[in-house]
């Protein structure tokens, strides 16, 4: 089977797709990747052939920042790349409307790799779930609206989706978390499945880890790994980071991520990094402070580290609520009465948080998530295959 991976090229979306793609290649499938030019070295390091999205007209089309505005360009780039690769199946990321529509046009199956929690409406249940941010209904309707606008922009508005219940899931939507992170009693939609973290990241270069460790050793204080995500119009964490890590008990190693305006204060115990990997730094840390995106949350849990979460927008409030409910995180209330340094002290003293993080992370690590994902991809392909011709007339595939 020829499989084209066409996820968003940001690490939090690209790396899980590469984990699944590597397993599919190990099983003998021909796997290739469509990615932004900046991601080509990472894909090459994963051992998979890659085509650059820009060559197919996909400028910005596989960027998480632009996901709602470049669906038509993503559609055209995916369509061209899939035809060139003669793809039998696509694997894409959640929110990739262009790739979903390309699969419809090509009449091939598509598997979507999601986040660590389900973003949209449950099939049933979940009525008592508190809303830290937007409601599930609001998020679902907004995503369906953007999908419909992309369908219209690509000239497919008059064509009915083959996924009548929801066009957002593709033939299967794979969640990278654990059922414990979903709201108790809620039921996921039929095509949505938990597979586990799909953990993969590039290996550090020679001496990279040691160079950061040398800087941390100069302080000798316990380390907090800080992973900054997008602000979504919310307040920057930097003023609170400077307060917490100046003259306190902890030091921070801060992955800038999508934070393009780092502002460490003079004298703050802060080491800035921008790395395509985080595992070795989480290993060195006593806890993880993040906005609540999937990648640092899963990295922390897989290593048994408790979390302090300060969410802004998108899935951040939803995942934060799930982690607090599971007893593996505390939420930053973002009020002047609660200093961030005091919050970190409370996390450091709470052995029950660490115990539950180890238990949940152990469960996530126990299953072979790449194998689970590959199993589902193969089942989707088998279910979508045209029936064998047992007479002289071709039998068309029902839709």
């Amino acid at each position: 089977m020829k499989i084209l991976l066409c996820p968003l090229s940001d690490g939090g979306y690209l790396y899980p797709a590469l984990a699944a793609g590597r397993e599919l290649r190990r099983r003998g499938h021909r796997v290739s990747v469509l990615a932004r030019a900046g991601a080509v070295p990472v894909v090459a390091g994963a051992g998979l052939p890659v085509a650059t999205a820009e060559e197919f007209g996909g400028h910005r089309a596989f960027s998480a920042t632009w996901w709602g505005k470049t669906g038509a360009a993503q559609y055209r780039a995916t369509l061209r790349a899939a035809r060139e690769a003669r793809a039998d199946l696509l694997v894409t990321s959640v929110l990739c409307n262009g790739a979903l529509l390309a699969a419809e046009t090509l009449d091939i199956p598509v598997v979507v790799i999601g986040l660590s929690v389900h973003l949209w409406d449950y099939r049933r249940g979940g009525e008592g779930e508190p809303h830290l941010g937007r409601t599930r209904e609001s998020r679902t309707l907004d995503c369906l609206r953007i999908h419909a606008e992309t369908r219209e922009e690509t000239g497919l508005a008059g064509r009915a989706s083959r996924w009548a219940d929801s066009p957002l899931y593709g033939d299967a939507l794979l969640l990278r978390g654990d059922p414990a992170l979903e709201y108790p009693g809620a039921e996921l939609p039929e095509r949505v499945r938990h597979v586990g973290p799909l953990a993969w990241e590039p290996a550090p270069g020679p001496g990279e880890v040691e160079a950061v460790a040398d800087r941390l050793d100069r302080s000798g204080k316990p380390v907090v790994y800080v992973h900054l995500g997008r602000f979504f119009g919310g307040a920057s964490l930097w003023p609170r980071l400077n307060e917490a890590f100046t003259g306190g008990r902890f030091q921070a190693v801060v992955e800038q991520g999508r934070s393009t305006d780092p502002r460490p204060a003079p004298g703050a115990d802060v080491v800035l990094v921008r790395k395509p990997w985080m595992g070795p730094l989480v290993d060195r840390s006593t806890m993880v402070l993040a906005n609540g995106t999937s990648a640092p949350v899963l990295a922390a849990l897989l290593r048994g580290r408790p979390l302090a979460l300060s969410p802004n927008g998108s899935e951040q409030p939803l995942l934060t609520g799930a982690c607090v409910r599971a007893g593996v995180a505390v939420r930053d209330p973002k009020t002047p009465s609660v200093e961030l340094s005091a919050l970190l002290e409370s996390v450091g003293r709470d052995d029950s948080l660490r115990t539950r993080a180890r238990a949940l992370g152990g469960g996530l690590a126990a299953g072979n998530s790449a194998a689970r994902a590959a199993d589902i991809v193969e089942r989707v392909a088998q279910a979508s295959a045209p029936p064998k011709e047992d007479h002289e007339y071709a039998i068309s595939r029902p839709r």
Side-chain angles (χ1 to χ4, degrees), residues 286-303:
T286 186
M287 70 184 76
V288 171
L289 169 62
N291 290 124
T293 52
S294 289
V297 166
L298 290 172
L301 293 176
L302 286 169
R303 292 161 176 82

Side-chain angles (χ1 to χ4, degrees), residues 116 132 181 224-225 227 237 240 287-298 300-301 305-312 315-325 328-334 340 343-344 347 353:
S116 51
L132 297 177
L181 295 175
V224 177
Y225 178 74
H227 191 286
L237 261 180
R240 307 194 73 219
M287 70 184 76
V288 171
L289 169 62
N291 290 124
T293 52
S294 289
V297 166
L298 290 172
L301 293 176
R305 301 302 191 265
L307 290 139
L309 299 176
S310 183
N312 288 311
E315 89 276 19
Q316 296 175 12
L318 187 67
L319 181 52
T320 296
C323 289
V324 171
R325 192 169 57 241
V328 298
V330 297
R331 180 174 179 259
D332 175 14
K334 300 183 180 180
L340 185 57
L343 190 73
L344 297 177
V347 173
L353 278 175

Side-chain angles (χ1 to χ4, degrees), residues 187-233:
E187 184 178 329
L188 291 170
E190 187 176 357
R191 299 197 308 279
V192 181
R193 297 285 185 272
H194 283 100
V195 297
L198 290 174
W200 181 88
E201 64 180 16
E208 280 193 281
V209 176
E210 291 77 9
V212 178
D214 286 346
R215 297 175 66 187
L216 297 174
D217 288 341
R218 295 171 196 168
S219 165
K221 295 179 179 180
V223 177
V224 177
Y225 178 74
V226 182
H227 191 286
L228 299 179
R230 292 174 62 193
F231 293 151
F232 294 102

